[in-house]
Amino acid sequence: MGLLTFAGVAALLTLVPGPDSLLVLRTAIAYGRRSAFVAALGIQAGCLWWGAAAGFGLTAVLAASHTLYTVLRWAGAAYLLYLGVRLLVNREEKTGDAAESPGRGWFLRGLLTNALNPKVGVFYLSLLPQFVPAGAPVLPWSLLLTGVHVAEGLAWCTVLTVLADRLGRLLRRPAVGRVLDRVAGTAFLGFALRLALRP
């Protein structure tokens, strides 16, 4: 299996809807492309963390320890629940300069959304070793493969950001924004429930 094969598999997985894509899409709609791109950088930093952890063998510990996996799974579910509830009760109107200010918090939101999801770690543990050549150094190859996935993730997030930002004038109308917040909040609650109930 080569880099091209891995790139194809990783690309398909990148396109599967999940909390990462939802966070970027909603951020782009409500706050503009710069904030969404900062959130996307945080998400990809989370991927790099999981890739390095896989290279060092830490994700194997995660997969082997039911307690550690459960703690991280519940932490991730709690964070997604927090995001969902915050959207459902949010009354803030995002307009003008406030909608375009990236803020330091967006990177952290993206990072936590990805890094607190143990299923991402198990995914890297199960997939990356299949593409590391026999006898090759594991850590450099794990980081190389993760870099491919990160590049694809950034490309996909850029597409989402540009499309959402192009529709920004319509979608940032207060009435539309409230509906989108309810939809996104409900989706985050669904992701939280799925993460909590499906080991």
Side-chain angles (χ1 to χ4, degrees):
M1 298 185 182
L3 281 175
L4 288 179
T5 304
F6 173 81
V9 173
L12 290 175
L13 293 171
T14 299
L15 297 177
V16 174
D20 291 346
S21 294
L22 177 60
L23 178 67
V24 171
L25 186 60
R26 190 265 170 186
T27 303
I29 291 171
Y31 294 95
R33 68 173 65 188
R34 287 182 292 174
S35 295
F37 192 70
V38 171
L41 290 176
I43 290 168
Q44 302 315 317
C47 288
L48 287 173
W49 146 249
W50 284 119
F56 281 114
L58 298 180
T59 49
V61 176
L62 174 65
S65 172
H66 179 72
T67 300
L68 180 59
Y69 181 88
T70 300
V71 169
L72 189 57
R73 179 164 59 88
W74 278 100
Y79 183 67
L80 293 175
L81 179 66
Y82 160 75
L83 291 179
V85 170
R86 182 171 177 172
L87 285 172
L88 289 175
V89 302
N90 186 26
R91 293 295 182 271
E92 177 188 4
E93 291 187 6
K94 284 76 63 177
T95 57
D97 294 336
E100 286 295 326
S101 176
R104 292 176 295 179
W106 290 113
F107 181 87
L108 184 60
R109 289 189 195 187
L111 176 63
L112 291 177
T113 300
N114 187 279
L116 288 178
N117 188 347
K119 293 186 177 182
V120 179
V122 174
F123 156 73
Y124 273 104
L125 171 66
S126 60
L127 186 65
L128 294 188
Q130 301 180 45
F131 293 90
V132 176
V138 175
L139 180 59
W141 265 92
S142 295
L143 293 176
L144 173 63
L145 295 170
T146 302
V148 172
H149 190 208
V150 165
E152 293 176 339
L154 284 175
W156 174 237
C157 288
T158 299
V159 170
L160 289 178
T161 297
V162 171
L163 290 177
D165 192 58
R166 291 282 178 87
L167 298 173
R169 287 189 177 182
L170 170 65
L171 298 178
R172 290 190 194 112
R173 292 177 181 174
V176 177
R178 285 192 291 270
V179 172
L180 290 174
D181 280 353
R182 302 301 180 269
V183 172
T186 302
F188 273 119
L189 293 182
F191 287 130
L193 186 64
R194 187 173 67 176
L195 184 59
L197 298 181
R198 292 179 59 184

